[in-house]
Amino acid sequence: MLFAQAGTISGKVTSADLGTPLAKASVFLSNATFGTSTANDGTFTMQNVKSGQYELVVTYVGYDSYHQTILVGATPINLKIEMHLKSYDLQEVNIVRHPFSKENFAKFIKYFLGTSDNAKKCRILNPTAIDLYYHTFEKKLVGTADEYIMIENKSLGYRIKYLLGGFELDEINQIVSYGGQYQFEDLKGTKKQLEIWRKKREDAYYGSSMHFFRALERNELDSAGFKMYRLIRTPNPERPPQIVIVQNIDKFMAKGMIDSANHWKELYNLNKFRETMIRTPTRPYEVLRTTDEAGVFAVTFPDCLYVVYTKKRDEDSNSYVYRPLDMANYMSTIITLYKPYTLIDLNGIVMLGKSTLYEGAWSNDKVADQLPVDYAPADKH
């Protein structure tokens, strides 16, 4: 097992403004399967929590949500949590929701839940909870939600409560970003169904970013089936900037100038970069650093990191990820850092939001393919 110890988290939730305990407040570990509600006196307890770093979240109607990073181990954790009443200004009171659009919702589903086999058995139970708006000129779809998005994943056997922090689909640069806090709950099923879900979950785990970062922390990349390479990229001088290409395609299509539009479509299909892979494998000590915070590691590297998982093949015929001609079509991901480094915790989760860009295999892993951070496979490959 990846986690040897289990811990206990307890505490009391009170109103900082009124000084009274808050009963029935929702207390959960973000992205995990652990959650509970406070008793009448505001107290709560979560037991047998697998060791690791978590974000504890507390929500209560009319109050700002509470967030705290905790490191669970053998020593029990006891918390005193004070929550503050929401303060509303005129701008917040006059929020305007946009009309529900089937077209916008279909795009949201594609890039939020994904298009994998798991996504086909995953659905959002309250679609109108999501406020979506498409910015035509910028070609961006943005989304927010002021209540939990309820998701049922019948492929992996989870019910998910997702508190969406924000969603953005940039259609010009083909980049999607979203985040928030969410809680997993196991669905009930027959013995046969539970076994199917167990196998599906293991298949989703092996080769995933969570699997990779856990193996990186433990210096187990080779046995886990991962290899890392340095990928050097330089912009392709023959390809105009993405926004210029897209704007010209739209302009000439609107004017009915098909030949001109096709010319720009050909430029669109050119590689954005000229890429060179350093074929000597990168070792864990070259990219992994310890930090002053227990259980937190920094990952840093020059250029891009090319990650190969040798125990699965890339079955995506539409994948445009760079691959040397003499390299087998193993599942591959290119990691680009937006910042000098990113941080990962003991659970193999990236802690810094908007710090990494995935291209290739991991970019296809959306909510329908995600596992709780406390997940551990029953077997080891």
Side-chain angles (χ1 to χ4, degrees), residues 209-249:
S209 60
M210 181 192 292
H211 183 202
F212 167 74
F213 285 122
R214 288 179 179 179
L216 178 64
E217 292 168 1
R218 294 163 177 78
N219 195 22
E220 296 175 351
L221 289 182
D222 291 338
S223 60
F226 288 103
K227 293 186 180 298
M228 299 186 298
Y229 302 94
R230 179 181 176 185
L231 181 67
I232 301 173
R233 280 178 160 176
T234 57
N236 183 352
E238 298 178 3
R239 191 182 193 279
Q242 182 81 354
I243 189 170
V244 174
I245 295 176
V246 173
Q247 287 175 345
N248 276 286
I249 292 175

Side-chain angles (χ1 to χ4, degrees), residues 5-58:
Q5 296 178 320
T8 300
I9 308 168
S10 60
K12 186 172 184 178
V13 180
T14 60
S15 169
D17 304 277
L18 305 178
T20 56
L22 296 179
K24 305 302 180 184
S26 177
V27 184
F28 64 95
L29 301 182
S30 180
N31 309 359
T33 55
F34 294 95
T36 187
S37 297
T38 56
N40 291 335
D41 61 354
T43 60
F44 69 91
T45 300
M46 287 185 282
Q47 296 178 324
N48 297 318
V49 179
K50 292 176 180 176
S51 62
Q53 181 124 351
Y54 298 91
E55 181 181 14
L56 182 132
V57 182
V58 185

Side-chain angles (χ1 to χ4, degrees), residues 192-359:
K192 179 180 178 181
Q193 185 63 70
L194 293 175
E195 178 61 16
I196 292 173
W197 287 337
R198 183 189 69 80
K199 292 180 179 179
K200 285 279 190 179
R201 292 174 184 182
E202 288 184 352
D203 184 60
Y205 174 75
Y206 288 112
S208 68
S209 60
M210 181 192 292
H211 183 202
F212 167 74
F213 285 122
R214 288 179 179 179
L216 178 64
E217 292 168 1
R218 294 163 177 78
N219 195 22
E220 296 175 351
L221 289 182
D222 291 338
S223 60
F226 288 103
K227 293 186 180 298
M228 299 186 298
Y229 302 94
R230 179 181 176 185
L231 181 67
I232 301 173
R233 280 178 160 176
T234 57
N236 183 352
E238 298 178 3
R239 191 182 193 279
Q242 182 81 354
I243 189 170
V244 174
I245 295 176
V246 173
Q247 287 175 345
N248 276 286
I249 292 175
D250 289 346
K251 179 178 69 175
F252 289 119
M253 287 296 292
K255 293 181 178 180
M257 302 172 66
I258 304 303
D259 289 342
S260 297
N262 287 338
H263 166 71
W264 284 95
K265 288 179 180 180
E266 290 176 1
L267 293 175
Y268 184 97
N269 291 327
L270 290 177
N271 291 330
K272 294 181 181 179
F273 305 101
R274 290 180 174 174
E275 296 164 306
T276 303
M277 180 186 291
I278 306 302
R279 299 301 289 269
T280 302
T282 300
R283 306 311 303 166
Y285 69 84
E286 298 179 73
V287 301
L288 192 67
R289 306 284 185 272
T290 58
T291 69
D292 293 335
E293 187 174 353
V296 177
F297 302 86
V299 175
T300 182
F301 46 83
D303 303 301
C304 300
L305 192 65
Y306 194 98
V307 179
V308 178
Y309 184 59
T310 61
K311 296 185 179 182
K312 285 183 181 178
R313 298 279 179 167
D314 185 358
E315 304 297 341
D316 185 2
S317 59
N318 296 317
S319 176
Y320 292 102
V321 67
Y322 168 79
R323 180 180 285 108
L325 293 177
D326 61 341
M327 178 179 283
N329 66 328
Y330 294 127
M331 200 173 80
S332 303
T333 301
I334 297 172
I335 309 176
T336 302
L337 293 181
Y338 286 133
K339 301 176 181 180
Y341 62 89
T342 191
L343 298 176
I344 58 174
D345 64 17
L346 288 173
N347 293 314
I349 302 301
V350 174
M351 300 171 61
L352 288 182
K354 296 185 177 181
S355 61
T356 57
L357 172 68
Y358 297 149
E359 299 168 72

Side-chain angles (χ1 to χ4, degrees), residues 62-74:
Y63 284 76
D64 292 325
S65 58
Y66 175 90
H67 303 260
Q68 181 177 343
T69 300
I70 58 174
L71 183 62
V72 177

